Amino acid sequence: MTPRGSTSGAPATDRLPSGPRPPRTVVSLVLACASVLVVAVSAWLAVRPGSQAAQTDLVLWLNNPPQPVAAIFAVVNPLLRPVPLVVVSALLLGWVLLAAPGRAERLELLRALTVALVLAELMAQVMKRLADQPRPLSVIPGLDTHGYPTDPHGHAYPSAHTAVVVAAVSALWPWMRWPQRIVSVAFAVLVALNRIYIGAHWPIDVVGGAAIGLLAGTITWIIATRWPMRR
């Protein structure tokens, strides 16, 4: 017999974490399928004849936007260069890690982050070589790089920066509090827009990059659901 007030079954060390949990598998699968569809459609649009001409006006507008958008982009731009971008990302990650309720949750989000970043980078690099599209800087004369060191002859579609940032945000999403989610989404949007602002990407590039990042994130949700970290 089991004494009153006690529970039977697996010991406490084998129980699942009681804190934040990833979405159900069916939700993750639906979002993953939607992401694959967006990647396929955006890649098809990126390589269509006339795609660059259709996006040129928007690239020109974002490259030299009116106020107050221009002031916001000018302030944010230095923070999104390679070294500051790593520092800002590390600070956001530290914020999420410190707010995690326990060791199991910290291990879970670290695993999710690692898997998401690797998957997003791999998928983005593969798609870059398949699409083989030029950057706006090599197509549209007179674009301003706004001081960003970039290679105008690299592959445009998709935006690897956008893919990696969205992958990180989506992977950590189940373990974030609402203030962290708001800041992280704003950060991801600014990174995506900044890639167009400096002439490194077309709008369709950041759409494809965001879809790749979300796909990588949903895969980590499925992993966390099927093989959760134990206390």
Side-chain angles (χ1 to χ4, degrees):
M1 295 180 62
T2 303
R4 181 171 297 182
S6 65
T7 58
S8 61
T13 55
D14 291 336
R15 290 175 188 156
L16 299 179
S18 59
R21 301 292 299 278
R24 293 182 301 169
T25 302
V26 64
V27 176
S28 301
L29 288 174
V30 169
L31 286 176
C33 291
S35 300
V36 171
L37 179 61
V38 173
V39 171
V41 173
S42 60
W44 177 75
L45 290 174
V47 301
R48 291 277 295 172
S51 172
Q52 296 163 9
Q55 301 176 81
T56 295
D57 286 344
L58 183 54
V59 171
L60 289 172
W61 189 90
L62 286 171
N63 186 248
N64 186 25
Q67 296 292 352
V69 179
I72 296 174
F73 282 5
V75 170
V76 172
N77 182 47
L79 299 176
L80 301 182
R81 294 177 183 176
V83 174
L85 180 61
V86 172
V87 173
V88 173
S89 301
L91 289 175
L92 289 176
L93 173 60
W95 183 20
V96 178
L97 277 173
L98 291 175
R103 180 174 178 270
E105 286 77 11
R106 293 190 183 98
L107 291 175
E108 193 78 78
L109 65 87
L110 284 174
R111 179 179 67 173
L113 178 65
T114 302
V115 173
L117 293 180
V118 172
L119 288 177
E121 183 65 24
L122 286 176
M123 287 188 286
Q125 294 304 322
V126 169
M127 291 302 297
K128 278 180 179 292
R129 283 151 181 79
L130 291 176
D132 192 21
Q133 294 300 297
R135 296 182 186 271
L137 284 169
S138 63
V139 176
I140 306 174
L143 284 183
D144 188 354
T145 63
H146 298 285
Y148 197 97
T150 184
D151 178 11
H153 303 294
H155 300 285
Y157 180 90
S159 169
H161 280 73
T162 305
V164 168
V165 172
V166 173
V169 172
S170 58
L172 300 181
W173 187 267
W175 295 275
M176 287 182 179
R177 303 175 187 272
W178 276 109
Q180 297 167 337
R181 291 177 174 179
I182 294 172
V183 172
S184 298
V185 169
F187 178 62
V189 170
L190 288 173
V191 168
L193 293 178
N194 181 258
R195 301 306 292 167
I196 307 174
Y197 174 67
I198 63 176
H201 286 288
W202 306 93
I204 199 69
D205 299 344
V206 300
V207 172
I212 288 174
L214 181 58
L215 175 59
T218 56
I219 292 174
T220 67
W221 299 350
I222 296 173
I223 293 173
T225 301
R226 295 293 302 274
W227 301 282
M229 292 288 186
R230 309 278 180 167
R231 288 191 186 278

